[in-house]
């Protein structure tokens, strides 16, 4: 397995534009986590899913952010409209529910200008 | 709402053991102690976890005190590639994974 795959690796967009980040889970995994990392705030959990169902989205900063799992192996994180303060590295991670190890993707570095 | 306390930074000479402490005085009976690390600009990587017994794998050893209020991650022979931020996390296995600020370990030649 190629591991958790995130795309794109880098994204530069203008303020106000819609941004979609993508994540492909490891085959067979049924838990999915989205994180955001900045120097100021560290690694923050945005939302996590178990079996395609959002369990806790309390970390989603505001209504401009939305996340979905259209199927068991894929997830999107959408920001609409984007703002400069959304600039960060976004990570997704997958695991098997009840298992111990979460596997992280390489991240998407988002820059909003 | 991280439940752990770690020193912000530590240094270690290459080839020596790196001992990274973590305090988790409010840990619950069903919570495990996990360790992850993040090498610069990469995604975090799982290292090891334990409930109450000491654990060892190919990467590290985890020593948990008898009262479970603290633990130590041991890298027996640190290399320059072990330079990273190390996160200690307590959680129930099926719960969310919350990262604190971690310990920045610098291994020097």
């Amino acid at each position: 397995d190629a591991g958790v795959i995130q795309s794109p690796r880098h994204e530069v967009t203008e303020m106000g534009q819609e941004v979609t980040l993508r994540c492909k889970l490891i085959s067979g995994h049924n838990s999915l986590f989205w994180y955001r990392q900045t120097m100021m705030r560290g690694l923050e959990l945005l939302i996590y899913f178990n079996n395609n169902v959002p369990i806790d989205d309390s970390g989603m900063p505001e209504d401009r952010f939305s996340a979905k799992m259209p199927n068991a192996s894929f997830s999107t994180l959408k920001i609409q409209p984007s703002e400069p303060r959304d600039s960060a590295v976004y990570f997704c991670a997958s695991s098997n529910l009840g298992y111990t190890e979460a596997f992280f993707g390489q991240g998407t570095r988002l820059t909003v200008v | 709402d991280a439940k752990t306390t770690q020193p912000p930074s530590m240094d270690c000479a290459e080839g020596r053991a790196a001992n990274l402490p973590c305090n988790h005085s409010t840990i619950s009976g069903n919570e495990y102690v996990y360790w992850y690390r993040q090498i610069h600009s990469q995604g975090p990587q799982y290292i090891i976890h334990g409930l109450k017994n000491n654990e060892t794998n190919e990467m590290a050893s985890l020593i948990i005190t008898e009262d479970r209020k603290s633990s130590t991650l041991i890298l027996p022979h640190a290399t320059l590639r072990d330079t990273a931020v190390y996160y200690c996390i307590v959680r129930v296995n099926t719960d969310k994974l919350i990262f604190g600020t971690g310990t920045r370990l610098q291994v020097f030649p």
Side-chain angles (χ1 to χ4, degrees), chain A residues 50-109:
Chain A
N50 285 341
N51 294 317
N52 302 1
V53 176
I55 302 301
D56 186 339
D57 65 353
S58 59
M60 296 287 263
E62 48 198 272
D63 291 346
R64 297 185 298 107
F65 285 69
S66 62
K68 294 181 179 179
M69 286 197 71
N71 58 57
S73 61
F74 185 73
S75 178
T76 59
L77 178 68
K78 186 175 294 186
I79 309 172
Q80 166 65 20
S82 58
E83 298 182 2
R85 59 187 167 134
D86 302 330
S87 297
V89 180
Y90 291 80
F91 290 102
C92 70
S94 74
S95 72
N96 228 328
L97 182 63
Y99 282 20
T100 56
E101 182 176 357
F103 294 83
F104 282 75
Q106 288 300 303
T108 295
R109 181 173 297 276

Side-chain angles (χ1 to χ4, degrees), chain A residues 9 33 35 37 43 45 48 50 56 58 91 97-106 109, chain B residues 32 34 36 38 41-46 49 87 91 93-100 104:
Chain A
R9 290 294 308 278
F33 306 83
Y35 292 87
Q37 186 169 35
L43 201 56
L45 177 65
Y48 81 103
N50 285 341
D56 186 339
S58 59
F91 290 102
L97 182 63
Y99 282 20
T100 56
E101 182 176 357
F103 294 83
F104 282 75
Q106 288 300 303
R109 181 173 297 276
Chain B
Y32 288 72
Y34 284 78
Y36 279 75
Q38 187 174 24
S41 78
Q42 298 182 17
Q45 176 192 23
Y46 166 85
H49 77 284
Y87 297 96
R91 70 185 279 253
N93 268 353
T94 55
D95 201 2
K96 54 192 176 184
L97 196 58
I98 301 294
F99 289 81
R104 184 173 298 277

